[in-house]
Amino acid sequence: AQTVTQSQPEMSVQEAETVTLSCTYDTSESDYYLFWYKQPPSRQMILVIRQEAYKQQNATENRFSVNFQKAAKSFSLKISDSQLGDAAMYFCAYRSPFMDSNYQLIWGAGTKLIIKP
Amino acid sequence: SQTIHQWPATLVQPVGSPLSLECTVEGTSNPNLYWYRQAAGRGLQLLFYSVGIGQISSEVPQNLSASRPQDRQFILSSKKLLLSDSGFYLCAWSVGHSTDTQYFGPGTRLTVL
């Protein structure tokens, strides 16, 4: 079974600085999808970025980028120019592309990101 | 564009009372629908998912049930709530199969006293 591990329960960063959140996963599949979701205090889960495992190029979305290391099964999220609005819980998630998995997401435990003004 | 609604936003119920949480999606057809529960300070646990009307799959045996009476409506229910049912309930939708991404509703905070 697939697992997702986020080893940093909490991270803090100074506003305008860069921070990297770690995520590792375990799978025997060669093709899959990885996601970072953000959950602010409102608790709505918001998609930040998505990566297809077959793509070698790292995904980017404005100030958010990932470092996808398939061989190492690592999927870290880099947030550049951190803003106060980035403060939230960040969850890493894995999804198999196969129907027999019912496309369900496998979630990490989350990392709480604190932005210091 | 697609939107997803959940209600109520907050609910306080006594132990042993029934429960009905509703989720609706607009702007898409035949979505996959999901119910998740999140305990305080924890990750998400998939409870139910549905790929079509009347089709419900349960991931975790429990005190809850789900139904999908219409294409874009997903309901989470219980006949008798337990204290352990307290938590934050999130509904999500996706469209397609292998390339879909799940998008989440605003959630319902349920407290069972």
XYZ file of all heavy atoms in Angstrom, chain B residues 7-65:
451
model
N -23.478 22.190 3.222
C -24.189 22.773 4.352
C -24.712 21.690 5.273
O -24.897 20.555 4.849
C -25.323 23.688 3.889
C -26.418 23.056 3.122
C -27.565 22.490 3.590
C -26.491 22.971 1.712
N -28.321 22.054 2.558
C -27.705 22.334 1.391
C -25.641 23.365 0.660
C -28.090 22.081 0.078
C -26.018 23.112 -0.632
C -27.228 22.470 -0.907
N -24.863 22.041 6.558
C -24.541 23.360 7.105
C -23.038 23.559 7.273
O -22.282 22.601 7.143
C -25.251 23.317 8.466
C -25.203 21.883 8.850
C -25.369 21.112 7.572
N -22.628 24.753 7.584
C -21.214 25.024 7.817
C -20.789 24.537 9.191
O -19.675 24.067 9.375
C -20.930 26.522 7.679
N -21.684 24.682 10.144
C -21.410 24.263 11.521
C -22.636 23.568 12.081
O -23.767 23.978 11.807
C -21.066 25.485 12.394
O -19.979 26.195 11.804
C -20.662 25.056 13.793
N -22.398 22.531 12.871
C -23.518 21.773 13.431
C -23.119 21.226 14.794
O -22.035 20.670 14.941
C -23.883 20.625 12.487
C -25.169 19.849 12.729
C -26.371 20.774 12.674
C -25.298 18.731 11.708
N -23.993 21.417 15.766
C -23.810 20.840 17.093
C -25.000 19.934 17.357
O -26.138 20.389 17.308
C -23.711 21.926 18.187
C -23.511 21.278 19.552
C -22.574 22.879 17.878
N -24.725 18.665 17.600
C -25.790 17.688 17.759
C -25.565 16.855 19.016
O -24.421 16.561 19.369
C -25.825 16.741 16.551
C -26.252 17.383 15.239
C -27.744 17.618 15.187
O -28.207 18.703 15.537
N -28.481 16.606 14.752
N -26.646 16.420 19.677
C -26.480 15.529 20.836
C -26.200 14.099 20.401
O -26.569 13.681 19.288
C -27.836 15.632 21.541
C -28.802 16.029 20.472
C -28.040 16.856 19.494
N -25.540 13.358 21.261
C -25.314 11.938 21.009
C -26.653 11.236 20.802
O -27.620 11.508 21.503
C -24.567 11.300 22.208
C -24.550 9.786 22.100
C -23.145 11.826 22.294
N -26.695 10.367 19.813
C -27.905 9.608 19.532
C -28.850 10.261 18.551
O -29.822 9.634 18.119
N -28.565 11.486 18.152
C -29.445 12.174 17.204
C -29.040 11.819 15.774
O -27.923 11.361 15.527
C -29.361 13.684 17.409
O -28.062 14.158 17.140
N -29.936 12.030 14.801
C -29.586 11.739 13.406
C -28.760 12.857 12.793
O -28.656 13.957 13.330
C -30.959 11.640 12.728
C -31.833 12.528 13.554
C -31.330 12.425 14.967
N -28.177 12.550 11.635
C -27.327 13.512 10.950
C -27.617 13.483 9.452
O -27.851 12.416 8.870
C -25.849 13.156 11.153
C -24.838 13.973 10.335
C -24.723 15.384 10.901
C -23.489 13.284 10.295
N -27.603 14.650 8.844
C -27.666 14.734 7.391
C -26.834 15.928 6.939
O -27.158 17.064 7.257
C -29.112 14.889 6.916
O -29.160 14.960 5.497
N -25.757 15.650 6.234
C -24.918 16.693 5.646
C -25.061 16.607 4.134
O -25.057 15.526 3.566
C -23.447 16.492 6.032
C -23.098 16.449 7.515
C -21.601 16.288 7.698
C -23.601 17.678 8.230
N -25.143 17.763 3.512
C -25.389 17.769 2.075
C -24.254 18.451 1.315
O -23.661 19.424 1.783
C -26.710 18.462 1.768
C -27.143 18.322 0.323
C -28.600 18.692 0.112
O -29.357 18.736 1.094
O -28.972 18.944 -1.052
N -23.994 17.922 0.152
C -22.962 18.455 -0.732
C -23.535 18.501 -2.140
O -24.122 17.519 -2.609
C -21.735 17.552 -0.675
S -20.470 17.889 -1.913
N -23.393 19.648 -2.809
C -23.833 19.732 -4.199
C -22.742 20.383 -5.041
O -22.002 21.249 -4.568
C -25.137 20.534 -4.360
O -24.933 21.851 -3.848
C -26.277 19.875 -3.610
N -22.666 19.961 -6.262
C -21.681 20.482 -7.213
C -22.424 21.131 -8.370
O -23.423 20.588 -8.845
C -20.769 19.349 -7.722
C -19.738 19.895 -8.703
C -20.084 18.653 -6.564
N -21.922 22.261 -8.811
C -22.507 22.950 -9.951
C -21.479 23.094 -11.064
O -20.281 23.189 -10.803
C -22.988 24.342 -9.533
C -24.109 24.326 -8.505
C -24.496 25.736 -8.075
O -23.838 26.703 -8.512
O -25.459 25.866 -7.290
N -21.957 23.115 -12.287
C -21.090 23.417 -13.408
C -20.372 22.229 -14.016
O -19.459 22.410 -14.829
N -20.777 21.035 -13.653
C -20.161 19.846 -14.230
C -21.171 18.711 -14.216
O -22.160 18.762 -13.481
C -18.889 19.444 -13.465
O -18.240 18.383 -14.170
C -19.212 18.985 -12.057
N -20.898 17.691 -15.009
C -21.799 16.537 -15.054
C -21.050 15.267 -14.686
O -19.863 15.130 -14.978
C -22.378 16.375 -16.472
O -23.173 17.480 -16.806
N -21.786 14.347 -14.068
C -21.253 13.039 -13.695
C -19.909 13.134 -12.959
O -18.938 12.469 -13.332
C -21.095 12.154 -14.936
C -20.924 10.689 -14.560
O -21.424 10.234 -13.546
N -20.176 9.962 -15.368
N -19.852 13.946 -11.925
C -18.593 14.011 -11.178
C -18.404 12.786 -10.293
O -19.369 12.115 -9.914
C -18.778 15.270 -10.328
C -20.250 15.316 -10.069
C -20.903 14.783 -11.326
N -17.168 12.504 -9.954
C -16.876 11.595 -8.850
C -17.012 12.429 -7.576
O -16.563 13.575 -7.523
C -15.456 11.048 -8.953
C -15.204 10.352 -10.273
O -16.015 9.557 -10.740
N -14.088 10.672 -10.902
N -17.632 11.854 -6.564
C -17.848 12.602 -5.331
C -17.264 11.843 -4.139
O -17.289 10.606 -4.112
C -19.348 12.832 -5.107
C -20.037 13.714 -6.150
C -21.548 13.719 -5.951
C -19.482 15.127 -6.102
N -16.761 12.584 -3.189
C -16.049 11.999 -2.052
C -16.489 12.673 -0.752
O -16.708 13.884 -0.721
C -14.540 12.201 -2.203
C -13.954 11.735 -3.514
C -14.015 12.541 -4.640
C -13.322 10.505 -3.613
C -13.471 12.116 -5.845
C -12.768 10.071 -4.810
C -12.848 10.891 -5.926
O -12.316 10.458 -7.115
N -16.565 11.893 0.310
C -16.713 12.417 1.668
C -15.460 12.051 2.459
O -15.046 10.879 2.502
C -17.924 11.826 2.387
C -19.224 12.492 2.095
C -20.285 11.958 1.433
C -19.626 13.812 2.483
N -21.315 12.862 1.374
C -20.940 14.008 2.009
C -19.005 14.847 3.186
C -21.644 15.196 2.207
C -19.704 16.027 3.376
C -21.001 16.194 2.900
N -14.866 13.085 3.088
C -13.715 12.896 3.951
C -14.058 13.390 5.345
O -14.879 14.283 5.534
C -12.517 13.722 3.462
C -11.855 13.240 2.205
C -12.274 13.692 0.960
C -10.783 12.365 2.259
C -11.640 13.278 -0.202
C -10.137 11.943 1.097
C -10.575 12.402 -0.119
O -9.941 11.991 -1.264
N -13.356 12.840 6.337
C -13.435 13.367 7.694
C -12.015 13.721 8.143
O -11.059 12.988 7.859
C -14.040 12.362 8.671
C -14.070 12.863 10.120
C -14.920 11.976 11.001
N -14.442 10.603 11.023
C -15.187 9.575 11.405
N -16.439 9.762 11.779
N -14.690 8.357 11.414
N -11.943 14.832 8.864
C -10.658 15.278 9.384
C -10.815 15.541 10.880
O -11.548 16.442 11.274
C -10.185 16.540 8.673
C -8.813 17.009 9.104
C -8.397 18.279 8.383
O -9.217 19.117 8.032
N -7.096 18.429 8.155
N -10.125 14.759 11.707
C -10.106 15.021 13.130
C -9.155 16.188 13.394
O -8.295 16.489 12.568
C -9.660 13.770 13.885
N -9.307 16.819 14.528
C -8.497 17.998 14.849
C -7.003 17.669 14.780
O -6.547 16.696 15.381
C -8.860 18.513 16.239
N -6.257 18.480 14.012
C -4.810 18.304 13.915
C -4.365 17.072 13.151
O -3.201 16.680 13.242
N -5.270 16.484 12.384
C -4.932 15.255 11.678
C -5.147 15.439 10.174
O -5.700 16.420 9.696
C -5.815 14.119 12.186
C -5.756 13.875 13.680
C -4.499 13.160 14.087
N -4.430 11.824 13.551
C -5.003 10.750 14.087
N -5.704 10.885 15.203
N -4.876 9.564 13.554
N -4.718 14.405 9.441
C -4.949 14.409 7.994
C -6.358 13.960 7.668
O -7.194 13.783 8.552
N -6.618 13.770 6.386
C -7.952 13.420 5.922
C -8.133 11.922 5.817
O -7.231 11.199 5.395
C -8.213 14.039 4.552
C -8.701 15.481 4.555
C -7.606 16.432 4.976
C -9.233 15.856 3.197
N -9.315 11.478 6.177
C -9.685 10.072 6.067
C -10.848 9.958 5.096
O -11.895 10.577 5.303
C -10.094 9.546 7.441
C -10.560 8.099 7.449
C -11.127 7.684 8.788
O -11.804 8.451 9.456
N -10.833 6.462 9.187
N -10.667 9.169 4.045
C -11.745 8.975 3.081
C -12.821 8.090 3.687
O -12.542 6.999 4.195
C -11.208 8.337 1.803
C -12.239 8.054 0.719
C -12.839 9.359 0.187
C -11.612 7.260 -0.425
N -14.066 8.566 3.641
C -15.185 7.812 4.180
C -15.962 7.097 3.068
O -16.213 5.895 3.155
C -16.131 8.746 4.933
C -15.542 9.542 6.092
C -16.586 10.502 6.649
C -15.028 8.607 7.172
N -16.372 7.848 2.076
C -17.188 7.306 0.980
C -16.788 7.978 -0.317
O -16.324 9.104 -0.326
C -18.689 7.570 1.210
C -19.232 6.988 2.475
C -19.324 7.762 3.623
C -19.671 5.676 2.516
C -19.829 7.237 4.792
C -20.179 5.135 3.686
C -20.253 5.918 4.825
N -17.016 7.271 -1.414
C -16.874 7.893 -2.712
C -17.937 7.318 -3.638
O -18.450 6.225 -3.408
C -15.476 7.686 -3.296
C -15.142 6.252 -3.572
C -15.375 5.692 -4.831
C -14.594 5.453 -2.576
C -15.069 4.376 -5.077
C -14.293 4.133 -2.821
C -14.531 3.602 -4.058
O -14.235 2.295 -4.300
N -18.234 8.064 -4.674
C -19.283 7.672 -5.606
C -18.886 8.073 -7.014
O -18.469 9.202 -7.250
C -20.600 8.352 -5.231
O -21.577 8.128 -6.224
N -19.027 7.151 -7.942
C -18.712 7.439 -9.343
C -19.984 7.663 -10.160
O -19.900 7.943 -11.359
C -17.850 6.338 -9.976
C -16.513 6.234 -9.239
C -18.575 5.007 -9.958
N -21.164 7.521 -9.545
C -22.397 7.755 -10.258
C -23.598 7.659 -9.335
O -23.478 7.234 -8.173
N -24.762 8.034 -9.856
C -25.990 7.992 -9.066
C -26.218 6.598 -8.513
O -26.143 5.606 -9.247
C -27.199 8.416 -9.926
C -27.056 9.876 -10.340
C -28.502 8.226 -9.138
C -28.150 10.331 -11.285
N -26.485 6.542 -7.209
C -26.785 5.277 -6.568
C -25.590 4.379 -6.322
O -25.724 3.308 -5.734
N -24.412 4.806 -6.766
C -23.203 3.995 -6.580
C -22.377 4.581 -5.451
O -21.846 5.681 -5.584
C -22.371 3.960 -7.864
C -23.095 3.382 -9.053
C -22.214 3.412 -10.304
O -21.091 2.923 -10.298
N -22.715 4.001 -11.362
N -22.286 3.847 -4.346
C -21.559 4.310 -3.174
C -20.578 3.228 -2.747
O -20.948 2.051 -2.654
C -22.504 4.589 -1.984
C -23.647 5.510 -2.407
C -21.716 5.162 -0.805
C -23.220 6.906 -2.768
N -19.355 3.637 -2.484
C -18.364 2.712 -1.938
C -17.886 3.256 -0.603
O -17.642 4.455 -0.469
C -17.185 2.558 -2.895
O -17.596 1.977 -4.098
N -17.785 2.367 0.361
C -17.366 2.758 1.703
C -15.937 2.314 1.935
O -15.572 1.183 1.599
C -18.274 2.117 2.744
O -17.779 2.360 4.052
N -15.161 3.218 2.496
C -13.769 2.903 2.780
C -13.554 2.480 4.226
O -12.640 1.743 4.521
C -12.878 4.109 2.467
C -12.732 4.390 0.987
C -12.063 3.241 0.248
O -11.001 2.780 0.676
O -12.637 2.784 -0.766
N -14.378 2.976 5.110
C -14.189 2.711 6.534
C -15.527 2.318 7.157
O -16.451 3.103 7.155
C -13.638 3.953 7.254
C -13.401 3.644 8.714
C -12.365 4.452 6.597
N -15.642 1.119 7.706
C -16.888 0.716 8.377
C -17.144 1.615 9.582
O -16.246 1.857 10.367
C -16.618 -0.717 8.829
C -15.434 -1.164 8.071
C -14.636 0.060 7.746
N -18.359 2.134 9.695
C -18.594 3.065 10.795
C -20.080 3.323 10.946
O -20.899 2.662 10.335
C -17.891 4.383 10.491
C -18.392 5.016 9.223
C -17.264 5.672 8.461
O -16.412 6.304 9.039
N -17.257 5.505 7.173
N -20.345 4.334 11.701
C -21.700 4.711 12.057
C -22.353 5.564 10.988
O -23.471 6.024 11.168
C -21.626 5.478 13.381
C -22.977 5.812 13.932
O -23.893 5.004 13.894
N -23.122 7.022 14.432
N -21.688 5.804 9.884
C -22.175 6.727 8.880
C -22.570 6.007 7.594
O -22.094 4.903 7.326
C -21.088 7.762 8.561
C -20.563 8.577 9.745
C -19.332 9.362 9.332
C -21.648 9.502 10.265
N -23.392 6.646 6.793
C -23.754 6.135 5.479
C -23.805 7.298 4.506
O -23.842 8.467 4.912
C -25.110 5.423 5.527
O -26.133 6.331 5.904
